[in-house]
Amino acid sequence: MKYHLCLFFVTAWFCFGETKCEFFSLFDGKTLKGWRASPGGKWEVKDGVLLGTSQKVDKRHGILFSEKEYSDFILRAKFRILQGNSGFYFRAENRNTPIRAYGFQAEIDRTQNTGGLYETGGRAWVARPDQQVIKERKYLPGEWSDLEIHAGGKNVSVLINGILSTELKKDPGRTKGFFGLQLHGGQDMHVEYKDIRLKNLDR
């Protein structure tokens, strides 16, 4: 409860008098407008869902990048993963390499590491959900789940199904960059995202 009250006051401080702080959709449910796919795997829209697939023989990390960069925000989305290892990158750098995305990702996979924070090209695992979190949030691989990412300055937090899963304070990582949906190279992949909404807290 204290955490959520704190978030409310922080958000109010950022957004006072700013209409841009309303949530808006980053995915229109019909097209890839606003997104750009890097080589590797396949991203398409089916039945209002962003569907990402790839085969094990493809070693490239197929990333669907947002066309714009963001710094401070609250992001909400729903995800379901049937095969492989995905992730929701934020504040990421897009480099011309087989990995493509560098920076933080909120881990999305079929294990209870989901909701952890992994820094590609940097410190690797930075934070993972503990056993109490795993018990409370009731994450079921293969079922639709809720993802929420808060980023403000040097503070970052990830919620799964409304439960705080990981958080960092005064972190030295990147503070601006792209969103990116990951298809991990060298794996059979099937992951789905929908209802991607953003509240932009940039000032």
Side-chain angles (χ1 to χ4, degrees):
M1 178 61 73
K2 289 182 180 179
Y3 172 78
H4 290 291
L5 284 174
C6 178
L7 275 179
F8 171 80
F9 287 118
V10 169
T11 301
W13 181 81
F14 273 116
C15 293
F16 181 75
E18 295 184 23
T19 58
K20 71 178 181 180
C21 283
E22 296 299 321
F23 277 98
F24 62 93
S25 293
L26 285 182
F27 167 52
D28 64 16
K30 299 177 181 179
T31 70
L32 296 179
K33 182 179 179 180
W35 298 84
R36 184 173 300 156
S38 66
K42 180 181 180 181
W43 288 99
E44 58 188 320
V45 180
K46 284 192 174 182
D47 300 323
V49 170
L50 268 174
L51 170 61
T53 56
S54 62
Q55 296 182 341
K56 190 174 182 178
V57 295
D58 193 343
K59 303 303 181 182
R60 299 169 298 180
H61 286 47
I63 311 292
L64 185 65
F65 284 102
S66 62
E67 291 184 346
K68 296 181 180 180
E69 293 184 280
Y70 298 92
S71 180
D72 295 339
F73 58 84
I74 299 173
L75 180 136
R76 293 174 180 166
K78 293 183 181 295
F79 68 91
R80 178 170 65 178
I81 182 161
L82 304 182
Q83 284 184 294
N85 181 330
S86 184
F88 203 116
Y89 278 96
F90 59 96
R91 293 174 164 179
E93 182 181 359
N94 182 356
R95 298 184 191 174
N96 188 23
T97 72
I99 294 176
R100 298 298 304 205
Y102 289 77
F104 267 135
Q105 64 170 297
E107 180 72 5
I108 302 292
D109 64 28
R110 293 182 58 80
T111 77
Q112 294 301 330
N113 284 325
T114 293
L117 284 163
Y118 187 94
E119 187 181 39
T120 302
R123 293 165 287 173
W125 283 110
V126 179
R128 304 193 205 199
D130 62 29
Q131 291 303 310
Q132 185 61 34
V133 165
I134 291 171
K135 181 179 178 180
E136 291 179 3
R137 69 188 186 178
K138 297 180 174 61
Y139 169 60
L140 298 174
E143 301 292 330
W144 283 108
S145 300
D146 294 322
L147 169 68
E148 189 166 324
I149 303 171
H150 295 248
K154 295 289 188 177
N155 300 328
V156 174
S157 58
V158 179
L159 292 82
I160 300 293
N161 293 331
I163 301 297
L164 178 64
S165 293
T166 48
E167 68 175 333
L168 301 173
K169 296 182 178 180
K170 298 181 180 179
D171 186 79
R174 292 172 55 86
T175 56
K176 185 175 183 179
F178 298 98
F179 293 119
L181 312 182
Q182 182 196 51
L183 295 174
H184 199 292
Q187 299 185 16
D188 291 321
M189 286 290 315
H190 181 133
V191 64
E192 301 173 2
Y193 292 93
K194 66 179 181 179
D195 301 341
I196 304 174
R197 295 177 296 140
L198 181 72
K199 181 179 282 189
N200 188 358
L201 304 181
D202 292 347
R203 294 193 298 165

